[in-house]
Amino acid sequence: MQETSQIHHRRHVIGVIGDIPALLTFWQMFKDQSNDEALKEIGVVAAALPGETVLPEADDSGRSIPTYAGYKTMLDQHPEINMIIEATGRPGLVHELRNYLPPSITLVERNAASFFINLLTSDKVWVACKLDLLHTQNMLKTIIDQIDQEVLFLDHTGAVVGMNQVVVKRLALPKQDLLGRSYCEIFTDSSNGECEFTPDPFERAMSTKAPAEAMTSQVDKDGRVHYFRVYITPIFDEDGTVNHVVASRRDITLRTSMENRLQQAEKLASIGELSTYMAHEIRNPLFSISGFANSLMRNPAMDEKAREKLGIILDESKRLDKILKSLLNFTRPTAAEVREVDLNELVQTTMNVMSLPCANQNVTLQVNLDPSMAKVKANPDLIKQCLINLVKNALEAMHDGGKLFVTTSMNQDHAVLTVEDTGEGIPLDIREKIFNPFFSTRDKGAGLGLAQTQKIINEIGGQVDLISVEKVGTKLTLQLPPILAVAEDDNSG
């Protein structure tokens, strides 16, 4: 039996008056249509059956409810009752109750009781809808927060009204501090209020009522470039009006890198075909030009001005022949012998030679060699060529002097050779081009130094990594395949 104290603590302690059919009908309707929240406020403690034979105690989910032959007896036995529900609808009984009940007891007639029970039904539906809505909202929020790309919800002006957790974690700011900001400020870190997108995909989406996108790039604190694709999608009401806008930002750095490698491979294939043509169609007439120019230079009848012009022809012919040789060497597969190389020894020998150009340019050279370095699988002459290329590039970036660090180390998978300078750094707009063949920021040369370096390292199973910050410096890292113990075991077998 339920504790009486639990009933007393409810707001409404009820006694019900009615004949058996009315009481049973009311009681079933009350139990079916009430909800848990309503029942916490209501407790039925007794029932009266005027003119009826007293029934055994009613049962309410394990709690017995006593019944009485008259309502006066019920009230005497249960002074805690503060509400009477009259379930018969008999006018005489209602009139009698109005005259008998004290002001502390509220009388609820049958029609009024039915009305309030119907309200409980509406409340029950509302609670169910609310729970369903909360479940849907939580599920949607969980899905959006689990998406690995950044998602912003914008109003019609481009101001942020919501976001997923990826944005909050990246910026490390309270969510409340980000609301109301422009989406450009969140996605491009522009604090001057101007959007760097040209044209602005948000404005394009709002004007065309169609999704729009744009690409942007950022340099992180380590000097690495990240590429992002920003997507703007307008959300419409039933009448076709733009209600909100969803903006998302996806990191496409890896995809961009793969596309660049594919494009470079296609370029190399085209260069290979072109170099073969140039070797046959250009070098032969070039050889003739150089031969006749040399012959004329030996002619004593030539005056000084003519010799000067012939000298220019010879110099330019030699320069062109050098470019052709570089091009042919670049496009041919590296056929050099690959063997075991002591990287520390190679670096020390090479930098002993390069120390003089560093000193002449007022560049402080610091060489740090890891004594626990593994030997690498490569061609020593080609690795030396790569190192010289990187050092020359670093010296050209430090016209007014600076510091040059050449370091060897080991990571989990590779032997690492790093050349780092304190020069001008590489501008963002040309950073993705510097490994392209024939791209050069200098007036002289064919622009094959870094492209050749990358080609050599890639062919032996290594990779080249670039980090650069303008006005701070550049770090180029060559990751080389180490000699594995299992390879020695295989060879010895």
Side-chain angles (χ1 to χ4, degrees):
M1 181 173 179
Q2 191 177 31
E3 294 292 336
T4 305
S5 59
Q6 295 181 11
I7 296 294
H8 289 178
H9 283 92
R10 297 185 181 181
R11 182 180 302 177
H12 306 293
V13 183
I14 298 174
V16 183
I17 302 174
D19 52 27
I20 292 176
L23 183 59
L24 293 177
T25 301
F26 166 78
W27 184 244
Q28 190 62 42
M29 181 173 60
F30 179 79
K31 289 180 64 177
D32 290 345
Q33 299 190 22
S34 297
N35 58 53
D36 292 339
E37 292 299 321
L39 291 176
K40 290 179 182 178
E41 300 292 324
I42 298 173
V44 177
V45 296
L49 306 169
E52 301 281 353
T53 303
V54 177
L55 295 174
E57 292 182 336
D59 183 71
D60 176 22
S61 301
R63 181 174 65 88
S64 60
I65 300 176
T67 59
Y68 300 91
Y71 66 84
K72 294 181 181 179
T73 305
M74 180 182 70
L75 291 174
D76 291 340
Q77 295 296 321
H78 298 277
E80 71 272 13
I81 292 176
N82 57 22
M83 178 179 291
I84 293 292
I85 295 179
E86 199 287 312
T88 67
R90 298 171 186 172
L93 181 58
V94 172
H95 179 74
E96 181 181 342
L97 288 170
R98 287 175 179 170
N99 292 328
Y100 180 79
L101 293 177
S104 59
I105 298 178
T106 302
L107 174 63
V108 180
E109 300 177 21
R110 178 176 179 172
N111 291 338
S114 298
F115 171 77
F116 286 115
I117 289 174
N118 289 330
L119 283 182
L120 291 176
T121 304
S122 300
D123 179 66
K124 185 176 182 180
V125 173
W126 176 82
V127 171
C129 292
K130 181 179 179 181
L131 291 176
D132 185 62
L133 179 61
L134 289 174
H135 174 72
T136 304
Q137 287 178 333
N138 288 334
M139 182 175 64
L140 181 61
K141 182 178 183 299
T142 300
I143 293 173
I144 293 175
D145 285 340
Q146 291 296 321
I147 295 175
D148 58 358
Q149 64 190 47
E150 299 179 14
V151 178
L152 297 177
F153 300 101
L154 315 176
D155 61 16
H156 66 281
T157 67
V160 176
V161 297
M163 70 208 69
N164 66 350
Q165 285 298 314
V166 180
V167 177
V168 177
K169 289 180 181 178
R170 176 177 67 87
L171 298 177
L173 291 173
K175 186 175 182 180
Q176 196 64 30
D177 292 351
L178 303 176
L179 298 178
R181 297 190 184 185
S182 166
Y183 90 98
C184 286
E185 183 179 351
I186 303 296
F187 277 171
T188 65
D189 295 333
S190 57
S191 57
N192 56 4
E194 296 183 0
C195 194
E196 71 174 32
F197 296 115
T198 306
D200 186 348
F202 177 82
E203 294 181 355
R204 190 163 71 252
M206 294 298 287
S207 62
T208 62
K209 300 296 189 292
E213 60 184 69
M215 187 171 174
T216 182
S217 59
Q218 290 181 2
V219 180
D220 63 20
K221 61 181 180 180
D222 296 322
R224 299 178 184 270
V225 181
H226 295 264
Y227 294 96
F228 300 93
R229 177 72 67 177
V230 174
Y231 304 89
I232 305 294
T233 305
I235 307 300
F236 301 93
D237 287 334
E238 293 181 358
D239 59 358
T241 304
V242 177
N243 184 16
H244 284 86
V245 178
V246 177
S248 59
R249 190 179 82 153
R250 178 181 299 172
D251 191 330
I252 60 169
T253 306
L254 179 59
R255 188 182 76 183
T256 303
S257 175
M258 294 176 65
E259 290 175 351
N260 289 341
R261 290 184 181 183
L262 179 60
Q263 291 174 1
Q264 186 164 1
E266 293 174 349
K267 289 179 183 177
L268 292 178
S270 300
I271 292 171
E273 296 177 1
L274 178 62
S275 63
T276 303
Y277 171 80
M278 293 175 65
H280 290 86
E281 301 298 329
I282 297 179
R283 296 191 79 181
N284 289 336
L286 182 63
F287 180 76
S288 299
I289 293 171
S290 300
F292 283 117
N294 276 315
S295 178
L296 290 172
M297 283 286 285
R298 291 192 294 269
N299 189 340
M302 288 292 172
D303 57 21
E304 190 62 32
K305 288 185 178 181
R307 291 178 181 278
E308 182 178 347
K309 293 176 181 179
L310 288 170
I312 295 174
I313 293 174
L314 286 172
D315 290 341
E316 292 301 308
S317 297
K318 291 178 182 178
R319 189 170 73 89
L320 184 55
D321 185 61
K322 184 178 180 180
I323 293 175
L324 284 173
K325 288 179 179 178
S326 299
L327 178 60
L328 290 171
N329 290 333
F330 178 77
T331 55
R332 293 190 185 113
T334 303
E337 179 186 356
V338 175
R339 55 186 174 84
E340 184 179 288
V341 177
D342 186 330
L343 190 60
N344 281 350
E345 182 181 342
L346 183 146
V347 171
Q348 188 66 66
T349 303
T350 304
M351 295 315 299
N352 286 340
V353 176
M354 297 301 296
S355 60
L356 182 59
C358 292
N360 292 339
Q361 201 167 312
N362 196 27
V363 170
T364 302
L365 174 63
Q366 184 173 335
V367 178
N368 299 313
L369 304 178
D370 185 351
S372 62
M373 278 294 296
K375 293 184 178 181
V376 299
K377 185 178 181 181
N379 179 273
D381 294 332
L382 293 181
I383 298 302
K384 182 176 181 180
Q385 177 186 338
C386 292
L387 178 57
I388 292 174
N389 285 341
L390 299 187
V391 172
K392 285 183 176 179
N393 287 340
L395 293 177
E396 290 173 0
M398 296 184 288
H399 304 292
D400 301 324
K403 295 181 180 180
L404 178 64
F405 304 92
V406 179
T407 307
T408 62
S409 61
M410 290 293 299
N411 63 21
Q412 186 174 0
D413 301 312
H414 294 91
V416 180
L417 170 58
T418 302
V419 177
E420 183 175 2
D421 64 64
T422 58
E424 301 171 352
I426 301 173
L428 181 60
D429 57 343
I430 67 169
R431 198 167 301 183
E432 62 181 17
K433 303 176 184 178
I434 63 172
F435 290 105
N436 290 346
F438 305 111
F439 177 81
S440 177
T441 57
R442 307 189 300 271
D443 296 333
K444 297 181 180 180
L448 291 172
L450 286 177
Q452 183 72 32
T453 297
Q454 187 178 59
K455 180 173 179 288
I456 291 171
I457 300 303
N458 288 344
E459 285 185 354
I460 63 173
Q463 62 186 46
V464 181
D465 187 29
L466 168 70
I467 297 176
S468 185
V469 178
E470 290 189 66
K471 308 302 181 183
V472 175
T474 300
K475 179 167 71 172
L476 273 155
T477 302
L478 308 183
Q479 300 193 45
L480 307 171
I483 298 293
L484 302 180
V486 64
E488 295 177 1
D489 294 340
D490 289 344
N491 292 336
S492 64

